[in-house]
Amino acid sequence: MSRFSKDDIVTNIQDMFADPQAVAKYTDGPPRFVPGYNAMLSMAAILLGERARNDARILVLGAGGGLELTAFAQAHPTWRFDGVDPSAAMLGLARQTLGSLAPRAHLHQGYIDDAPEGPFDGATCLLTLHFVDAGERRRITSEIRRRLKPRAPFVVAHLSTPDGEEERPLWLSRYSAFLAASGVEPDQAAAAREAVTNHLAILAPERDEAILRDAGFSDPTLFYTGFTFRGWVAYA
């Protein structure tokens, strides 16, 4: 059970991504703070492309900033996208990041309930579900599943570590060491670890896989591990 409510988490997200300075700096963040971020995006594009057609329509939940939209649009020049994010400022940044690719992406302000019905040929939810607790995570995942065509791929990645009393602190220490080794200032690295520990809903990997199955997805397969981050591909 999460130590905070869904409303608490939503308010935290809105405050974080309504700060103009935070929004302006956002695109520098994921490549620095997520181990193997750019490679993870490339892998996600490959996994989507295994089953999505040349004229595919892809749902991207948590599309603010536009980094994954841009990576997918560059990898698959004929695809179209629906990106969903609660922050208007982050969607504005996504348009800037996309640049000339922007006409291929229809952006929607809101949450999964505000996403088009589809059906979509694939979907992603990257670095987003750790903002919500297990119950809301299951609901969101089910809503994504409902919007996909049969056998369509779903690629998801977020914070996910073993929850043992010794294992989780060890992995968080390793993550903090990674940040320091990547050139992040020590106080920023410490603040990042504190934020991850106290303000995000981290589940054990087996619980994350169980949620995918409970939502109706089949064959959840781990494709990415970056210290405290994990990613799966599963099928509708």
Side-chain angles (χ1 to χ4, degrees), residues 217-230:
F217 286 99
S218 64
D219 302 321
T221 303
L222 186 71
F223 78 93
Y224 158 76
T225 303
F227 278 158
T228 51
F229 295 86
R230 283 174 169 77

Side-chain angles (χ1 to χ4, degrees), residues 15-206:
D15 290 345
M16 183 190 317
F17 295 124
D19 179 355
Q21 291 185 341
V23 170
K25 297 177 181 177
Y26 175 79
T27 55
D28 295 331
R32 295 180 66 208
F33 286 87
V34 181
Y37 176 76
N38 290 324
M40 184 263 287
L41 292 185
S42 295
M43 289 186 282
I46 290 169
L47 292 168
L48 291 171
E50 287 179 342
R51 299 196 182 190
R53 305 171 305 181
N54 287 337
D55 62 347
R57 184 183 177 198
I58 305 295
L59 173 64
V60 177
L61 186 65
L67 292 175
E68 58 263 63
L69 282 169
T70 300
F72 300 155
Q74 290 173 339
H76 297 280
T78 59
W79 286 4
R80 295 169 297 120
F81 304 90
D82 282 86
V84 181
D85 197 276
S87 168
M90 289 292 285
L91 289 176
L93 179 59
R95 292 185 185 93
Q96 293 178 30
T97 303
L98 281 161
S100 63
L101 301 171
R104 291 167 51 201
H106 188 186
L107 302 181
H108 311 265
Q109 184 178 359
Y111 300 89
I112 184 59
D113 301 304
D114 303 296
E117 288 295 305
F120 292 94
D121 298 284
T124 67
C125 187
L126 305 179
L127 307 183
T128 297
L129 290 181
H130 49 227
F131 288 114
V132 298
D133 62 22
E136 180 65 3
R137 194 174 303 193
R138 186 176 292 106
R139 190 190 75 81
I140 291 170
T141 306
S142 297
E143 286 297 314
I144 293 172
R145 166 66 181 81
R146 188 174 65 79
R147 288 168 167 80
L148 291 177
K149 294 178 181 178
R151 298 178 295 281
F154 173 47
V155 179
V156 58
H158 46 257
L159 287 158
S160 179
T161 68
D163 56 5
E165 292 183 4
E166 296 183 359
E167 285 183 287
R168 179 159 292 177
L170 175 60
W171 281 109
L172 291 171
S173 294
R174 289 167 173 167
Y175 174 58
S176 184
F178 164 81
L179 295 179
S182 300
V184 176
E185 294 295 328
D187 58 339
Q188 286 186 297
R193 175 176 175 172
E194 181 179 357
V196 166
T197 302
N198 297 322
H199 299 291
L200 298 180
I202 307 175
L203 303 183
E206 57 268 23

